[in-house]
């Protein structure tokens, strides 16, 4: 998911919740949210919480940028 304007930093962290129903989720998954460059390179890994019942991944973010779920 990509948010605009790219790189805008927040005064306080915001909560990002991503749906993972389309992801192949490994057993005992330990997900994170990753911040990606426009070319897809991982620039930052953000610890996250995974809810297997709701199939969501939640993490705090501090800026608008491109994010993805990583297992």
């Amino acid at each position: 998911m990509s948010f605009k304007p790219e790189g805008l930093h927040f005064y306080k962290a915001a909560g990002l919740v991503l749906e993972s129903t389309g992801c192949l989720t490994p057993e005992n998954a330990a997900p994170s949210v990753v911040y990606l460059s426009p070319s897809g390179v991982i620039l930052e890994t953000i610890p996250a919480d995974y809810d297997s019942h709701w199939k969501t991944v939640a993490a705090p973010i501090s800026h608008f940028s491109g994010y993805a779920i990583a297992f």
Side-chain angles (χ1 to χ4, degrees), residues 45-64:
T45 301
I46 305 163
D49 293 316
Y50 176 60
D51 185 317
S52 60
H53 176 77
W54 294 106
K55 304 280 189 202
T56 57
V57 178
I61 58 170
S62 60
H63 51 85
F64 275 153

Side-chain angles (χ1 to χ4, degrees), residues 21-42:
T21 54
C23 299
L24 292 174
T25 309
E27 290 259 340
N28 302 319
S32 58
V33 169
V34 291
Y35 161 42
L36 301 171
S37 72
S39 63
V41 174
I42 295 174

Side-chain angles (χ1 to χ4, degrees), residues 10-22:
F10 307 131
Y11 180 70
K12 290 173 62 176
L16 175 67
V17 178
L18 299 171
E19 184 180 339
S20 65
T21 54

